[in-house]
């Protein structure tokens, strides 16, 4: 099956809704109209309807009024034949006759009409004392009919002359002539009403079916409604207002009821479209007007100018426009055209409101740009600043986003390069450990042998010393690479930091004693606990104390102390360097960087980098301060 057939046509769904509503409303109005003529609906014979009987009654009364001289009766219908006479028993010549037949005697007229049932199938007779009705040769009782009995009761009250002096016969043709006047028109209306009943019912059913279909396909219908709202939203507010007012003034000027219904239907759907437009476009419904269109053109011109010049042009344009509007308002007042004066004042107020609103938006956008600049300064390179196209700061926002993107790419490249370096160093140091271990083992074996000549043993000792240093350097490189890559195992536990510092000092006690340094240690007596990896912290303190032993000036004092506050612990190491430190604290913590630029002392330049990495892994912070030759290392942890 073609997938296109499976998709609902939005136009078809909306048309089903549109036609369904119209059919239901039209059939409802038709039903109300038919209900008001219920007496004419469902009657198989027109002559049984109230309307037909009312026409007979009216003609009977008019004939009576004509014969008495109260009214002139002229019947132009060819569908009704009548003979009426007002008798005078004393003087037959004074009888008054009104007829459209070529007969001058009442009895002859009765015989004539009775003898032509094929041409006249309905006779209404008053013989001066009794009413009778003949319908297709059948006699009917008018006294038992509600409509006729009401007329009879009315005429019984007539005096001077009385109803007994009046005789009439009216015959209705079997087949109505198209030139039959009121009877024929009434007959056509009766026939039309009876034909309209099934039409109204079918229209109502079709309307309900279409609405059900539209409800099932409501997603497609809403899609087309959105399209209608989109195109409606392109019309200016003034155009919509003019169309609405035009239709409002048009309805009272239409006399035809059908025309009024059609105009009302058009206005209903126009109101539906406007409501849909308002619900979908919201504020845009009001802001899409000719004034804002002109302002949009102005802003497009303004945005081509430098920011400062554009703002100055905006202010001058506002002042100039307001002055012109004030002058026009005053001129309108002088010419007694107050409505135009109010119009110019309202326009000036509206323009001033727009200016203040734009100024507020501009301040907000500038604030967002400033805040975003702070985000970039703090390292946020992912959050983008998006401002409306019409904003004067839109280009600035785009420039900031481009800067972010460029910095982000550079940082990613740098991180990628760092990762590659770390991976290379890790792999190389790992590959060096295997042959280096073999070398150390063989050197150790050689050191246990008695070699000749005697100075060969000195060579072995030198090799052993250099191999040990190379092993330490390789292990340092391996450790810092793993630490900085995050690929290292941690055993976080609750440890006594005071005991760990004392243990680190004790392990290096021999070297401390051999050095010409005076250690001043100030640690609290009570236990202080933190959550950290004990092995990594031991390495931290070992490196710091080892650096002090290597790089301190002889015959100086070294200070190691621990201070605590409410939630943190600070451990500081202070010593005087044996060389001039022409280097910053940040550079000193880089890998392979040494304070002794001449490299006359032992060291790999990795000690402080390892300290910084291990302290960070344990959740602390490490800081270096240099003041002349005074070197100070500070380790900070939160209490456990």
């Amino acid at each position: 099956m073609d997938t296109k057939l499976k998709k609902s046509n939005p136009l078809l769904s909306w048309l089903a809704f549109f036609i369904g509503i119209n059919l239901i409303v039209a059939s409802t109005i038709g039903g109300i109209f038919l209900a008001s003529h219920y007496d004419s609906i469902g009657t198989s014979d027109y002559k049984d309807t109230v309307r037909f009987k009312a026409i007979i009654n009216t003609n009977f009364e008019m004939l009576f009024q004509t014969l008495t001289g109260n009214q002139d009766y002229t019947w132009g219908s060819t569908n009704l034949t009548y003979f009426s006479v007002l008798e005078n028993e004393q003087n037959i010549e004074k009888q008054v006759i009104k007829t459209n037949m070529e007969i001058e005697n009442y009895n002859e007229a009765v015989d004539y009409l009775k003898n032509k049932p094929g041409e006249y199938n309905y006779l209404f007779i008053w013989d001066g004392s009794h009413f009778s009705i003949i319908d297709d040769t059948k006699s009917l009782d008018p006294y038992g009919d509600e409509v006729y009995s009401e007329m009879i009761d009315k005429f019984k009250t007539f005096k001077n002359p009385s109803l007994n002096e009046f005789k009439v016969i009216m015959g209705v043709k079997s087949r109505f002539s198209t030139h039959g006047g009121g009877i024929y028109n009434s007959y056509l209306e009766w026939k039309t009403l009876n034909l309209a009943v099934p039409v109204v019912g079918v229209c109502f059913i079709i309307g309900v079916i279409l609405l059900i279909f539209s409800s099932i396909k409501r997603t497609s219908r809403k899609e087309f409604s959105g399209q209608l709202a989109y195109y409606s939203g392109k019309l200016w507010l003034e155009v919509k207002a003019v169309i609405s007012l035009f239709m409002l003034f048009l309805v009272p000027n239409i006399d035809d009821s059908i025309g009024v219904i059609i105009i009302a239907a058009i206005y209903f759907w126009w109101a539906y479209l406007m409501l849909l437009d308002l619900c979908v476009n919201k504020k845009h419904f009001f802001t899409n007007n000719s004034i804002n269109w002109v302002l949009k053109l102005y802003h497009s011109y303004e945005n081509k100018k430098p920011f400062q010049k554009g703002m100055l042009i905006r202010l001058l344009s506002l002042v100039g426009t307001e002055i012109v509007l004030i002058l026009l308002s005053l001129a309108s007042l002088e010419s007694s055209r107050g409505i135009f004066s109010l119009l110019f004042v309202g326009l000036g107020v509206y323009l001033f409101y727009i200016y203040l609103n734009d100024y507020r938006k501009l301040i907000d956008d500038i604030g967002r740009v400033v805040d975003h600049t702070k985000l970039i300064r703090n390292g946020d390179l992912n959050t983008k600043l998006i401002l409306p196209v019409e904003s004067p700061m839109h280009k600035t926002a785009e420039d900031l986003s481009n800067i972010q993107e460029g910095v982000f790419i550079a940082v990613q490249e740098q991180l990628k390069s760092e990762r590659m370096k770390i991976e290379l160093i890790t792999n190389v140091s790992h590959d060096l450990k295997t042959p280096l271990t073999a070398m150390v083992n063989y050197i150790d074996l050689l050191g246990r042998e008695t070699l000749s000549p005697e100075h060969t043993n000195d060579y072995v000792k030198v090799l052993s010393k250099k191999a040990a240093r190379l092993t330490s350097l390789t292990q340092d490189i391996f450790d810092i690479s793993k630490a900085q890559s995050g690929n290292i195992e941690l055993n976080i536990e609750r440890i006594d930091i005071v005991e760990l510092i004392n243990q680190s000092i004790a392990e290096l006690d021999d070297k401390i004693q051999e050095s010409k340094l005076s250690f001043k240690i100030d640690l609290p007596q009570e236990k202080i606990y933190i959550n950290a990896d004990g092995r990594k912290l031991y390495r931290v303190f070992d490196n710091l104390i080892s650096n002090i032993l290597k790089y301190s000036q002889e015959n100086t004092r070294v200070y190691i102390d621990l201070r605590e506050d409410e939630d943190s612990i600070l451990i500081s190491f202070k010593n005087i360097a044996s060389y001039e430190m022409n280097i910053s604290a940040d550079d000193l913590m880089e890998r392979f960087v040494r304070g002794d630029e001449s490299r006359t002392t032992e060291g790999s330049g990795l000690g402080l980098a390892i300290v910084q990495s291990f302290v960070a892994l344990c959740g602390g912070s490490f800081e270096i301060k240099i003041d002349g030759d005074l070197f100070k290392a500070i380790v900070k942890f939160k209490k456990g």
Side-chain angles (χ1 to χ4, degrees):
M1 183 183 291
D2 191 355
T3 55
K4 292 183 179 179
L5 298 178
K6 297 181 180 179
K7 296 181 179 179
S8 298
N9 189 332
L11 176 60
L12 181 63
S13 303
W14 192 87
L15 280 178
F17 169 74
F18 174 77
I19 297 173
I21 290 291
N22 285 332
L23 286 178
I24 289 177
V25 172
S27 59
T28 302
I29 295 174
I32 294 172
F33 178 78
L34 291 175
S36 66
H37 296 77
Y38 70 94
D39 56 289
S40 300
I41 301 172
T43 307
S44 60
D45 190 354
Y46 167 65
K47 297 181 182 69
D48 292 333
T49 64
V50 174
R51 180 165 297 228
F52 172 77
K53 297 173 183 178
I55 291 175
I56 296 299
N57 287 354
T58 301
N59 281 275
F60 183 85
E61 182 179 357
M62 292 176 68
L63 283 171
F64 182 82
Q65 296 292 344
T66 300
L67 291 173
T68 58
N70 297 324
Q71 186 173 345
D72 184 19
Y73 176 75
T74 302
W75 182 259
S77 173
T78 59
N79 293 317
L80 181 66
T81 299
Y82 59 89
F83 188 97
S84 60
V85 57
L86 182 63
E87 296 181 339
N88 189 323
E89 295 178 355
Q90 288 76 25
N91 189 352
I92 297 176
E93 294 180 357
K94 290 186 178 182
Q95 289 180 342
V96 180
I97 298 173
K98 188 69 177 179
T99 181
N100 61 351
M101 301 172 65
E102 296 179 356
I103 297 176
E104 297 181 358
N105 184 276
Y106 171 76
N107 292 327
E108 291 178 5
V110 171
D111 293 337
Y112 174 81
L113 293 176
K114 284 184 176 180
N115 292 327
K116 289 193 175 184
E119 185 177 354
Y120 297 94
N121 65 345
Y122 193 92
L123 302 179
F124 185 87
I125 305 171
W126 169 250
D127 59 5
S129 61
H130 185 266
F131 281 102
S132 61
I133 296 175
I134 299 175
D135 186 4
D136 284 335
T137 70
K138 295 183 297 183
S139 294
L140 303 178
D141 181 17
Y143 295 94
D145 186 276
E146 182 180 354
V147 179
Y148 288 138
S149 63
E150 183 179 346
M151 179 198 71
I152 293 170
D153 293 338
K154 178 181 178 181
F155 280 106
K156 283 181 179 180
T157 61
F158 286 0
K159 305 292 182 180
N160 194 24
S162 68
L163 191 60
N164 295 333
E165 300 176 46
F166 175 67
K167 291 181 180 180
V168 66
I169 181 170
M170 291 189 294
V172 181
K173 282 188 174 182
S174 303
R175 295 183 180 180
F176 295 133
S177 169
T178 56
H179 302 289
I183 290 180
Y184 179 73
N185 293 336
S186 176
Y187 169 73
L188 283 181
E189 183 178 343
W190 167 79
K191 196 172 182 178
T192 303
L193 290 175
N194 280 276
L195 289 174
V197 172
V199 174
V200 168
V202 170
C203 287
F204 186 83
I205 293 172
I206 293 175
V208 171
I209 293 173
L210 289 174
L211 274 187
I212 292 173
F213 172 78
S214 176
S215 298
I216 294 173
K217 303 295 183 181
R218 57 183 174 274
T219 303
S220 299
R221 188 189 76 219
K222 289 180 179 179
E223 180 182 346
F224 188 80
S225 296
Q227 295 175 6
L228 282 178
Y230 170 76
Y231 289 110
S232 174
K234 289 182 174 296
L235 292 175
W236 287 346
L237 180 63
E238 295 89 341
V239 175
K240 299 172 187 175
V242 169
I243 295 175
S244 301
L245 291 173
F246 173 76
M247 284 191 281
L248 281 176
F249 288 119
L250 186 63
V251 173
N253 297 322
I254 298 178
D255 297 329
D256 184 13
S257 59
I258 301 297
V260 171
I261 292 174
I262 293 174
I263 293 297
I266 294 173
Y267 194 80
F268 169 79
W269 285 108
W270 174 256
Y272 167 81
L273 180 60
M274 292 299 97
L275 182 62
L276 182 67
D277 187 355
L278 179 61
C279 293
V280 173
N281 297 314
K282 296 180 175 62
K283 289 176 61 177
H284 183 71
F285 179 87
F286 300 100
T287 57
N288 183 29
N289 52 55
S290 57
I291 297 176
N292 284 336
W293 180 77
V294 172
L295 291 176
K296 187 176 181 180
L297 289 179
Y298 167 75
H299 285 152
S300 63
Y301 164 77
E302 180 187 276
N303 289 336
K304 296 178 182 178
K305 303 295 181 180
F307 178 75
Q308 297 87 337
K309 189 174 181 180
M311 293 299 99
L312 180 60
I313 292 174
R314 178 183 297 188
L315 179 60
L316 294 177
S317 300
L318 174 68
V319 173
T321 305
E322 293 291 340
I323 292 174
V324 171
L325 290 174
I326 291 172
L327 294 177
L328 290 174
S329 177
L330 294 175
S332 299
L333 281 176
E334 292 178 358
S335 60
S336 301
R337 295 179 180 177
I339 184 66
F340 291 102
S341 177
L342 290 176
L343 180 63
F344 292 133
V345 170
L347 184 58
V349 172
Y350 180 68
L351 288 175
F352 189 69
Y353 164 77
I354 291 178
Y355 176 81
L356 291 180
N357 192 46
D358 287 347
Y359 184 75
R360 178 188 60 81
K361 291 179 180 179
L362 176 62
I363 296 300
D364 291 342
D365 291 342
I366 292 175
R368 292 177 63 185
V369 169
V370 172
D371 293 340
H372 197 71
T373 305
K374 293 179 181 178
L375 285 179
I376 297 175
R377 183 195 64 187
N378 294 332
D380 186 351
L381 301 178
N382 295 317
T383 304
K384 300 296 182 183
L385 177 61
I386 300 176
L387 296 179
V389 179
E390 61 272 11
S391 172
M393 302 302 294
H394 175 73
K395 188 65 172 64
T396 304
E398 283 188 339
D399 292 341
L400 279 177
S401 297
N402 293 334
I403 292 173
Q404 273 183 284
E405 186 175 353
V407 173
F408 179 78
I409 293 173
V411 169
Q412 292 300 314
E413 291 292 334
Q414 183 66 26
L415 291 175
K416 182 179 179 181
S417 176
E418 289 294 325
R419 283 195 299 269
M420 291 178 65
K421 289 179 183 179
I422 291 171
E423 290 175 2
L424 176 63
I425 292 171
T426 303
N427 294 334
V428 170
S429 61
H430 184 271
D431 293 341
L432 286 174
K433 287 178 70 176
T434 301
L436 188 58
T437 302
M439 291 171 58
V440 170
N441 291 335
Y442 282 116
I443 291 172
D444 184 60
L445 291 174
L446 287 174
R448 297 177 184 178
E449 298 292 334
T450 303
L451 302 175
S452 60
E454 185 66 24
H455 63 271
T456 305
N457 292 319
D458 295 333
Y459 297 157
V460 172
K461 290 179 181 178
V462 173
L463 285 174
S464 177
K465 184 176 180 181
K466 298 300 181 181
R469 183 180 177 188
L470 186 58
T471 301
S472 176
L473 177 60
T474 304
Q475 185 62 43
D476 287 347
I477 294 173
F478 187 72
D479 288 343
I480 193 171
S481 298
K482 290 180 66 177
Q484 292 185 350
S485 65
N487 185 23
I488 189 170
E489 294 183 3
L490 291 176
N491 181 25
I492 303 297
E493 56 185 347
R494 195 163 182 262
I495 61 175
D496 181 5
I497 188 70
V498 177
E499 182 181 354
L500 186 61
I501 296 173
N502 285 325
Q503 182 181 348
S504 302
I505 295 172
E507 290 289 337
L508 295 171
D509 186 63
D510 292 342
K511 293 183 178 181
I512 291 174
Q513 297 300 326
E514 293 176 0
S515 69
K516 298 179 181 180
L517 300 173
S518 175
F519 276 75
K520 302 296 181 179
I521 302 171
D522 184 11
L523 301 175
Q525 298 298 319
E526 66 274 9
K527 295 182 177 181
I528 299 176
Y529 292 96
I530 64 169
N531 294 318
D533 187 322
R535 295 172 61 88
K536 300 297 184 293
L537 278 191
Y538 173 80
R539 179 74 180 277
V540 167
F541 298 141
D542 182 78
N543 278 12
L544 290 174
I545 297 172
S546 297
N547 278 355
I548 289 173
L549 293 173
K550 291 177 185 177
Y551 303 119
S552 293
Q553 179 69 35
E554 293 182 355
N555 300 317
T556 58
R557 284 183 288 274
V558 176
Y559 295 88
I560 302 175
D561 57 61
L562 186 150
R563 298 287 181 270
E564 61 177 326
D565 52 25
E566 293 181 359
D567 58 352
S568 60
I569 299 168
L570 276 77
I571 307 148
S572 63
F573 298 80
K574 290 179 284 186
N575 67 287
I576 302 298
S578 60
Y579 52 86
E580 186 177 354
M581 289 190 294
N582 296 321
I583 189 171
S584 67
D586 291 336
D587 291 339
L588 197 58
M589 283 193 288
E590 292 291 332
R591 291 170 297 176
F592 303 107
V593 175
R594 295 170 59 181
D596 180 12
E597 295 182 356
S598 63
R599 294 183 176 265
T600 56
T601 57
E602 293 185 1
S604 61
L606 293 173
L608 294 179
I610 293 173
V611 168
Q612 185 184 36
S613 299
F614 281 8
V615 169
L617 288 173
C618 291
S621 62
F622 178 64
E623 181 184 6
I624 292 176
K625 293 183 179 180
I626 299 174
D627 186 5
D629 292 338
L630 177 64
F631 179 86
K632 185 177 182 179
I634 303 171
V635 179
K636 184 177 181 180
F637 287 102
K638 290 184 178 180
K639 288 184 178 180

